[in-house]
Amino acid sequence: MKKIIFAIACLLAMTQAGAVGLINKAEVINVRLGYGIGGTAPIGLPPSIRSLNKFKLQFNPSLGIDATYGIKGPLGIMFGIQLENKGMEMDARVKDYHMEIVHGGQQLAGQFTGDVTTKVTEWMITIPIQASYRYKKVRFKLGPYISYVGSRNFSGWAHNGYLRVGNPTGPKVFLGDSVEERGEYDFTGHMRRLQAGIDAGIDWKWSSRFGGFLDLAWGLTPVHKSDFKTIEQTLYPIYGKIGVTYRLK
């Protein structure tokens, strides 16, 4: 909670400390409030993931402020800073999926067949830098972003199936649905603090002050560090965002 309060303070400070000259030169300054929907997923569905059983919406708000500077005609460049969460909770059916779990006080590794529930939380500060193109009341934007993850979690459980310990022909350990019967895992400590990707979107004006936006942020860096090999697939944060803007200038 302290990290979140500090991040909000940073967002508010952007409008004050040392920003007078930049504000005067900006063509547009917007405050934006949004909600993100997406997931932390591999690129392409691997054969070991058979189906998606359940997907629950999470508390994924975003609060930001950005300034757009004109370059020539409708072209511009946008700089911003945002506080956001990229979180998900999903349950998938898998077969021969490599896992490391804790079950009955023991740490086990092998190939799991059954259901896997995963919960991800990533509270972060994101700085996007985007080229923009204005057409009447609409502004298109595209560019890179970099994020620092302050609070994070990647955990879950394997259930309703069995684990082949060691290799695909190893002894079976059956996992049930109750807390006592399932196998827990927590890979939070292997998550990256710094992330980068591409953000594309569109802003449109409803009135002289209010508007809306749609964004898609596609992560180019995995959520886990490069030496993390427990999960076979490389996972990337891919999130869409919808929200409203308020024009300060």
Side-chain angles (χ1 to χ4, degrees):
M1 182 59 69
K2 290 181 179 179
K3 293 179 180 178
I4 295 174
I5 294 173
F6 174 75
I8 293 174
C10 289
L11 291 175
L12 295 175
M14 183 182 175
T15 64
Q16 300 177 17
V20 176
L22 293 176
I23 289 174
N24 291 336
K25 294 178 182 179
E27 180 181 285
V28 177
I29 297 178
N30 278 325
V31 174
R32 59 184 68 229
L33 177 65
Y35 178 80
I37 302 174
T40 301
I43 305 301
L45 194 65
S48 56
I49 301 178
R50 296 305 177 95
S51 62
L52 180 63
N53 297 329
K54 182 175 62 175
F55 183 88
K56 290 179 64 176
L57 294 177
Q58 300 299 294
F59 181 60
N60 289 340
S62 68
L63 173 64
I65 185 169
D66 50 69
T68 302
Y69 299 86
I71 297 177
K72 184 178 181 181
L75 297 177
I77 185 167
M78 180 184 295
F79 300 91
I81 184 169
Q82 303 170 8
L83 169 65
E84 60 181 343
N85 181 45
K86 293 180 178 178
M88 74 164 194
E89 180 179 340
M90 63 175 293
D91 185 85
R93 186 71 179 175
V94 302
K95 183 176 182 180
D96 296 331
Y97 190 77
H98 186 262
M99 291 290 296
E100 289 185 7
I101 61 170
V102 175
H103 175 66
Q106 291 183 305
Q107 186 151 353
L108 305 173
Q111 308 302 117
F112 177 70
T113 297
D115 297 328
V116 176
T117 298
T118 301
K119 294 183 177 183
V120 180
T121 301
E122 292 185 291
W123 282 98
M124 62 185 70
I125 295 291
T126 298
I127 298 176
I129 303 174
Q130 298 172 295
S132 69
Y133 181 84
R134 185 186 69 252
Y135 178 73
K136 295 183 179 180
K137 294 185 178 183
V138 177
R139 187 183 300 272
F140 302 92
K141 53 191 182 177
L142 172 68
Y145 71 83
I146 186 169
S147 300
Y148 175 78
V149 182
S151 179
R152 55 192 177 162
N153 175 71
F154 191 106
S155 60
W157 55 89
H159 60 109
N160 191 28
Y162 60 88
L163 181 78
R164 288 279 192 179
V165 180
N167 58 66
T169 60
K172 281 185 179 181
V173 174
F174 290 93
L175 305 176
D177 285 316
S178 69
V179 175
E180 295 78 15
E181 296 172 330
R182 69 194 191 191
E184 307 277 347
Y185 61 88
D186 189 339
F187 304 138
T188 302
H190 299 279
M191 299 179 75
R192 294 177 184 268
R193 289 287 187 185
L194 289 177
Q195 296 183 6
I198 297 293
D199 194 340
I202 181 173
D203 293 355
W204 66 92
K205 294 195 301 182
W206 300 336
S207 65
S208 60
R209 290 292 182 182
F210 288 95
F213 70 92
L214 286 171
D215 287 347
L216 175 63
W218 194 289
L220 300 179
T221 53
V223 297
H224 293 112
K225 300 173 184 177
S226 57
D227 60 354
F228 178 68
K229 304 298 182 184
T230 301
I231 296 179
E232 299 173 3
Q233 295 80 26
T234 303
L235 305 180
Y236 299 89
I238 304 170
Y239 284 80
K241 191 184 300 180
I242 185 170
V244 296
T245 62
Y246 179 78
R247 183 168 178 169
L248 298 177
K249 180 182 177 182

